[in-house]
Amino acid sequence: MRTQVCIIGGGPSGLLLSQILHRAGIDTVVLERQSRAHVLSRIRAGVLEEGSTSVLRKAGVDTRMDREKIRHEGTLLSARNRSFRVDFTQHTGKAVYVYGQTEVTADLYAARDAMGGVIIDSVSNVMPHDLEGETPFVTYEKDDTEHRINCDLVVGCDGFHGVSRQQIPTSVRREYERAYPFGWLGVLSETPPVSHELIYANHSRGFALCSQRNDALSRYYIQCDVTDKPDAWSDEMFWDELRRRIPDDTADALVTGASIEKSVAPLRSFVSEPMQWGKLFLVGDAAHIVPPTGAKGLNLAISDVHYLSQAMVAYYAGDKDALSSYSETALARVWGAIRFSWWFTTLMHRFPKQSDLEQKLQESDLAYLETSVSAQTSMAEQYVGMPF
Ligand code: RFL
Ligand code: PHB
């Protein structure tokens, strides 16, 4: 088989890139390790920046998103049994939108199908070759048969555990990493959200987050031990712990119910540089991971796709240098989000052996955020997303 751009990974990055390139007349094949049903059942991100909704709109996947997304003009932060609000729209003129990654992915699959996009799922042993040469190709297995795709360019959209990043020699690749000493236990429940806006809660027992997908579907998280097994947490234990970590009036208003999904996610800050090597380009979680505290992971994946698709369109229009600045351009935005997510994570979580001094510093940082217009503007500007 031959294509112009072979995309490894059919998560949101891979599907969106393939959709944008196809609309620009560039041929792609997407190779996905999991089944489509598996990809569509993953519960992940919940918040889209306005910039991300614009990219999705330009990709033609906006109809359901624009009907169902919920506009949030601010967020609540709580500590010591009280909460305060940071107003995004007042400080930046912008808002964010609650629309789940699961829905974005479903919309992208539907759009790819409607255009006859080629997505080959349930593949194994995907391997890119000759990435420094003139004739790159990708091999993979499907139903016990080996296949080969000849292409011009290869894009690694295969997430943190993918194969693409590993192809960049260690003499070229530089990785920066911090694994946080805790995880997030997430629960999805068919109950009305406790608050119209998200609540990020700092508590001596650990962080908690009240989020949502729609009026009848809530998403809650509590900081947990990264080795905790989701099944070791009964629903009752989860709700009890969540109630302890949020202000009393919010806890009293919490409607609980059976969980329909429960999972533990590790928290990590990670960047791999560069994001291009020869004919290989990395996008999204394949190149960088942020802890979810700032809701930045999916949004960064979307901005990477935006930069890379623009560069590829220019490249195929004849500008042979168009691809050379992708890594630098994307990384500049990535590092801003890495810093913001690290700051917000450090501010809101309980660290093992946290000293009294560190506890006081967190409280002081939160008090500054509550009272300073400059601090709120800075947070709001980063939460709604730096422009791209
Ligand atoms: P994905 O979604 O991991 O997709 C990669 C795809 O590649 C496939 N794959 C392979 N395919 C072929 N061959 C191989 N060798 C392969 N190896 C892997 C995988 O099966 C998969 O389908 O990466 P992508 O597309 O870059 O998207 C990134 C986002 O998924 C991620 O950044 C976000 O989910 C992060 N995130 C959040 N981001 C936000 O912007 N806002 C949020 O509110 C938010 N909340 C979250 C989050 C992530 C979380 N978890 C579970 C870590 C909340 C949580 C709990
Ligand atoms: C979510 O709803 O899954 C969510 C929202 C905000 C975050 C992280 C996750 O910061």
Side-chain angles (χ1 to χ4, degrees):
M1 200 191 304
R2 148 119 211 127
T3 189
Q4 289 172 295
V5 182
C6 184
I7 299 173
I8 304 174
S13 312
L15 295 170
L16 179 60
L17 181 67
S18 123
Q19 171 73 4
I20 295 176
L21 293 181
H22 196 161
R23 281 164 66 96
I26 300 166
D27 193 37
T28 66
V29 171
V30 176
L31 297 173
E32 167 57 47
R33 181 167 57 182
Q34 305 286 353
S35 68
R36 179 180 292 211
H38 179 97
V39 173
L40 288 173
S41 69
R42 289 194 294 232
I43 313 290
R44 291 215 181 150
V47 178
L48 293 176
E49 297 169 3
E50 244 167 53
S52 297
T53 63
S54 305
V55 176
L56 292 165
R57 197 163 296 116
K58 278 188 216 136
V61 277
D62 50 341
T63 313
R64 191 165 70 104
M65 175 182 78
D66 281 341
R67 198 173 57 233
E68 295 181 10
K69 71 183 189 318
I70 307 169
R71 182 179 162 92
H72 281 201
E73 297 194 346
T75 194
L76 297 163
L77 281 89
S78 79
R80 306 176 86 201
N81 206 23
R82 44 192 294 280
S83 60
F84 66 93
R85 181 167 185 267
V86 175
D87 191 318
F88 303 145
T89 309
Q90 181 194 334
H91 294 303
T92 69
K94 291 187 187 156
V96 294
Y97 297 88
V98 165
Y99 190 67
Q101 178 169 333
T102 316
E103 312 311 321
V104 172
T105 310
D107 294 347
L108 283 165
Y109 265 120
R112 295 315 297 121
D113 287 349
M115 286 182 73
V118 181
I119 302 164
I120 307 173
D121 69 356
S122 307
V123 300
S124 57
N125 288 331
V126 175
M127 187 53 69
H129 306 266
D130 197 22
L131 293 165
E132 281 194 296
E134 288 309 307
T135 53
F137 61 99
V138 179
T139 52
Y140 67 94
E141 284 168 32
K142 168 128 181 144
D143 302 329
D144 295 325
T145 310
E146 182 155 318
H147 301 264
R148 171 180 172 139
I149 300 178
N150 296 321
C151 53
D152 306 328
L153 306 169
V154 178
V155 187
C157 295
D158 47 353
F160 182 67
H161 300 288
V163 66
S164 304
R165 184 177 68 249
Q166 314 300 336
Q167 306 313 308
I168 304 180
T170 47
S171 56
V172 175
R173 179 161 40 106
R174 173 115 199 241
E175 296 189 345
Y176 303 82
E177 177 164 23
R178 171 159 197 193
Y180 296 85
F182 39 71
W184 278 18
L185 173 65
V187 155
L188 191 68
S189 82
E190 284 167 332
T191 50
V194 68
S195 156
H196 167 65
E197 292 181 339
L198 271 55
I199 304 174
Y200 289 89
N202 171 297
H203 192 274
S204 55
R205 295 180 65 91
F207 169 79
L209 169 62
C210 304
S211 184
Q212 58 192 257
R213 291 294 176 272
N214 58 48
D215 289 350
L217 195 57
S218 297
R219 181 69 165 160
Y220 296 104
Y221 298 94
I222 55 173
Q223 176 184 345
C224 66
D225 199 295
V226 71
T227 58
D228 281 1
K229 299 276 166 276
D231 293 343
W233 283 85
S234 67
D235 287 358
E236 207 181 338
M237 281 163 68
F238 179 88
W239 295 123
D240 283 348
E241 190 56 38
L242 177 64
R243 272 195 215 94
R244 289 191 190 105
R245 298 184 187 187
I246 56 182
D248 291 343
D249 53 346
T250 312
D252 290 344
L254 183 71
V255 180
T256 62
S259 64
I260 55 173
E261 196 263 359
K262 203 184 275 160
S263 50
V264 171
L267 268 71
R268 174 181 279 124
S269 298
F270 171 83
V271 182
S272 178
E273 295 186 344
M275 288 171 65
Q276 171 187 9
W277 181 67
K279 299 281 162 53
L280 174 70
F281 300 81
L282 301 179
V283 168
D285 281 16
H288 42 73
I289 297 284
V290 286
T293 325
K296 289 285 160 255
L298 176 60
N299 292 296
L300 275 185
I302 293 176
S303 58
D304 287 353
V305 167
H306 168 75
Y307 292 132
L308 185 59
S309 59
Q310 274 196 333
M312 286 188 170
V313 169
Y315 173 80
Y316 279 109
D319 177 358
K320 291 299 166 206
D321 285 337
L323 294 167
S324 60
S325 55
Y326 164 69
S327 180
E328 201 183 325
T329 311
L331 280 167
R333 191 167 195 279
V334 165
W335 276 110
I338 289 275
R339 196 209 65 81
F340 173 66
S341 308
W342 159 82
W343 167 77
F344 201 23
T345 300
T346 307
L347 176 68
M348 300 306 290
H349 288 74
R350 181 83 190 175
F351 283 73
K353 302 203 191 88
Q354 187 163 319
S355 67
D356 290 348
L357 177 92
E358 287 159 333
Q359 177 69 28
K360 282 285 184 190
L361 288 174
Q362 261 187 359
E363 286 170 18
S364 168
D365 208 352
L366 275 161
Y368 177 56
L369 188 56
E370 180 171 359
T371 51
S372 159
V373 172
S374 309
Q376 292 200 3
T377 306
S378 168
M379 186 209 164
E381 175 181 52
Q382 296 176 84
Y383 196 96
V384 301
M386 300 306 283
F388 57 93

